[in-house]
Amino acid sequence: MSSLTKLLQEKRKNDTTVNAANSNTLGSQHGPSLLRTTSKSIGIPTDRNNSGTTTSVTTVVPIESEDDESSSSMASSSFDGKPMISSSFLTANFAHTAHMYSRERSGSFINNYNHPNELATSLGSNSALPARRNSRHYLNGSASSNRQIPSLSSSIPYAVPNSNKDTSANGNHSASSSLTSSWLESYGSSMPNNISAIDSNIITSPVVNSVEPRFVISKQKLQKSAQENSNNASASVSRSSSFSSQLGNLFFSKSSKDIHNSYSPSHNNTNSTSNGSSTNNSNTYHVQSNASSADSAKGSIAGNSIPKPMRARQYSSSRQQPPSGTSYTDHFFGSPTSVQDVHPHAPPIQNQSLPRSHNSSIGDLKRFFKKTSSTNSLHASSNSNSGIMMGSPPVTNGIPVPNSNNPTSLNRMPSANYSPHSYGDTIYSTTNNATLPFSKRYLKTGDDLGAGAGGSVKLVKRLSDKKIFAVKEFRAKFENETKRDYVKKITSEYCIGTTLNNPNIIETIEIVYENERILQVMEYCDYDLFAIVMSNKMSYEEICCCFKQILTGVQYLHSIGLAHRDLKLDNCVINEKGIVKLIDFGAAVVFSYPFSKTLVEASGIVGSDPYLAPEVCIFSKYDPRPVDIWSTAIIFACMILKKFPWKIPKLRDNSFKLFCSGRDCDSLSALVTRTPDPPSYDNSMVQIPEEKPSHSSHNVPDPSNPNIGPQRLLHSLPEETHHIINRMVDLAPACRANIDEIMNDEWIRNIEMCHMIDDGFNRKLVHASDHTHTQVDQSEAHIAGLEKKKKQKQEAADSQ
Ligand SMILES: Nc1ncnc2c1ncn2[C@@H]1O[C@H](COP(=O)(O)OP(=O)(O)OP(=O)(O)O)[C@@H](O)[C@H]1O
């Protein structure tokens, strides 16, 4: 045995002893399970160096919980894995995309939750049509409007555990559900340094006064760094630096003078003070930022670790601005960056060390445009078409004039003369005849495809060739939403839509600003994957094909440094050829810049509850890639089971609790922070006597019990899927399979998948031989149709 292996073994032994001691204490005091119901907030999260897999700081914050009425109600049904769809589930369940809004404890988020008692216990007919409820709440007060935005996912039933079985399997439930502060005292010490224990049900913002001095940079340093960056930055950077505000201007009719000023060569950097206009702009943002940061700080401190989650979210999920003047650098802090902020292909090198100011999103946009503006060409979302950014200088009467270097492409930047009130301004297009107003080129067919938090999607016909497209009309800015947040949301989808090029990602044809509406014209797909799943007609091979196509889309995204973060059945559409496409990039983030190995962590509770990875509910920052992997596994499970394995990945959800049980560990935080075992090189040569398993917890693994541990989910899935699905739903993101490992899995490799291949200028379909794709009637092919039908049924039932 090598000395390294010996050392590792010894270390592990020691660790086990410590853990055993701690766990025994825990066990003797609090019963057998890893579960707890306390809502007391004790632990104070700290920012320390992350010794884990990433280079940036990871903070664990106490998790939120409410009294879990759902546990009991859910426990009254059985989780038999049969593909049955309950009408009451369809009505009662929900899934919502949580990005850009916060959970207000006493606010509408919780209130809008369908009451757990509404959860159906009978998993009966699948004839009932889904209700799509959504409880999105935007950061800037839109929550207060109590908007009921529907969510498609709400239509899938949740798997519900059998209380009898569960109790026997897991010991005494009530006893198991009580971890208290003493648990923390005894057990918390064995947790990694960079985290604090999950001891509460409230998500709180990191405590700001624990920021290590080395993360705090002085004003002078910041200015110096800004100066250096502005020296390094090329003219093209400075020229593009104000794109975000340009886009804002586009939507909010800023005066052309302001726009012009922001193009000024002296406006090299958002921190620049040389230009009055830019300084004002910058200052305005700083004021906002500091205000929200201060709020955030107030929330976490004054609220004694129970801040208003909205504030916490503002701190954690927006621009990571530390409170009250504290500054970080990207490099150390690894702040998350939204897609709207940066183009994945942009050269990151010198900008990696840009000071993280509130304006960093704009700074990141510099990176986005630095490369592209120098070439004056736009990344089109289609191979065959070159994208055109319209409304660019020079513009005559809204008709863009081709750039002299490239007659088919136009400058990306909106014109200094740009008038946002002029009609039919096409911001981006892959077509060359986008000069007429939108309404003169497209005819609305009257059919709604769906609506969500981001806007509503309608069917239109292009008059020139009678081709059908889907048009997303972005929602208007909420009253309480800042212009900045709104523009961020829009630009995210804009950047994605105009950049990505993959058969499994929806193609954006053009983006138009007309009559103060922003319209995104997309290729149309005939079916929502959700609708197909709900038809209950999918063959196993077809499910596998769809799954692999989703994975292929994810692989593409991850390969270019993007994570979707809101993968769910609702966000997959499928065309008549059986090609699945990912849509809705409103929550996507960049996790890696080109040429950089630094992981940019994401933050905020973003996604839809049943698809959320557990770490999203625990950590304030996380690697968004494993989050996508987890969600994709849940999508697969949903396609097979026709129900969600659990409602939310929190211990208050009984199904999830049981899934976490039987893992020889009493702490979810310990499970989630696990790192992969170090490789043992000489096991094959040296026979190590098999140690008797000594269980240090009250969650003794029992592989023969299908109701606890990973088997809880796996036993309902085909055996060949177990290996990789198990790895995809590994509670520890560090141990979860990455997309390349998944694609290399034997089962995945052997899945016959319908796909497109390049055939000269076109793409050609290659059909899998072992299945055909289910088609459903157009009246129920999309969420809107499903909802309409459901409403009609309901009305008919009511009138009887
Ligand atoms: N290209 C498309 N082809 C067909 N249907 C589409 C297309 N794009 C969107 N849809 C339909 O519109 C619905 C809403 O679209 P999308 O998810 O982009 O909106 P959203 O407002 O961001 O919704 P969410 O609340 O889920 O984030 C989708 O679930 C789908 O049914």
Side-chain angles (χ1 to χ4, degrees), residues 132 136 452-455 457 472 506 523 525 528 570-571 584 783:
R132 189 168 187 255
R136 286 182 180 218
V457 183
K472 180 168 182 174
I506 202 78
E523 63 174 314
C525 287
D528 291 348
D570 321 29
N571 284 337
D584 192 1
I783 292 157

Side-chain angles (χ1 to χ4, degrees), residues 543-795:
I543 289 173
C544 292
C545 171
C546 291
F547 180 51
K548 192 168 174 179
Q549 289 193 57
I550 295 168
L551 287 169
T552 308
V554 172
Q555 187 179 36
Y556 169 74
L557 290 178
H558 288 192
S559 73
I560 59 170
L562 289 174
H564 187 287
R565 288 208 300 173
D566 193 15
L567 290 170
K568 52 180 176 178
L569 279 176
D570 321 29
N571 284 337
C572 301
V573 287
I574 180 163
N575 67 18
E576 81 289 355
K577 295 172 180 155
I579 299 298
V580 178
K581 302 190 182 247
L582 306 182
I583 59 167
D584 192 1
F585 289 87
V589 284
V590 171
F591 62 80
S592 154
Y593 298 108
F595 318 120
S596 167
K597 288 197 171 137
T598 306
L599 168 72
V600 182
E601 287 179 295
S603 66
I605 301 173
V606 174
S608 302
D609 284 357
Y611 299 91
L612 281 181
E615 66 268 22
V616 173
C617 306
I618 298 172
F619 295 99
S620 65
K621 292 176 148 214
Y622 49 84
D623 180 347
R625 288 169 295 179
V627 169
D628 277 353
I629 300 300
W630 176 285
S631 307
T632 311
I634 301 294
I635 290 177
F636 178 73
C638 286
M639 288 196 287
I640 296 280
L641 305 172
K642 314 290 186 288
K643 54 191 176 186
F644 291 123
W646 40 80
K647 185 174 149 190
I648 189 166
K650 291 188 178 185
L651 295 178
R652 64 181 167 82
D653 184 310
N654 209 33
S655 270
F656 184 69
K657 190 161 90 176
L658 292 166
F659 174 74
C660 297
S661 303
R663 293 167 189 256
D664 204 12
C665 180
D666 292 322
S667 153
L668 176 58
S669 58
L671 286 167
V672 173
T673 51
R674 216 165 33 86
T675 50
D677 287 337
S680 175
Y681 296 105
D682 48 7
N683 269 357
S684 53
M685 288 181 279
V686 182
Q687 281 287 327
I688 303 169
E690 217 172 84
E691 284 175 30
K692 251 189 163 183
S694 66
H695 296 295
S696 54
S697 77
H698 292 266
N699 277 289
V700 179
D702 181 5
S704 61
N705 185 339
N707 286 307
I708 57 164
Q711 316 77 273
R712 182 169 180 81
L713 175 66
L714 298 178
H715 89 276
S716 317
L717 305 177
E719 206 175 329
E720 60 178 347
T721 71
H722 286 190
H723 170 69
I724 199 64
I725 296 294
N726 193 23
R727 296 234 29 232
M728 291 174 77
V729 290
D730 197 312
L731 290 166
C735 302
R736 213 167 287 155
N738 67 35
I739 190 67
D740 295 327
E741 287 174 90
I742 296 165
M743 296 314 270
N744 274 328
D745 175 78
E746 200 187 340
W747 164 58
I748 299 287
R749 271 193 287 120
N750 289 330
I751 291 175
E752 271 202 58
M753 180 182 87
C754 301
H755 62 282
M756 307 297 289
I757 51 164
D758 279 335
D759 176 28
F761 288 112
N762 295 314
R763 279 177 169 154
K764 206 175 94 185
L765 175 72
V766 179
H767 261 305
S769 62
D770 62 354
H771 65 272
T772 53
H773 280 271
T774 300
Q775 317 223 323
V776 294
D777 189 86
Q778 271 303 303
S779 65
E780 46 193 62
H782 294 284
I783 292 157
L786 289 171
E787 281 177 351
K788 205 166 148 190
K789 271 209 162 175
K790 183 178 180 248
K791 212 171 156 194
Q792 282 168 356
K793 270 196 173 177
Q794 187 65 46
E795 279 167 7

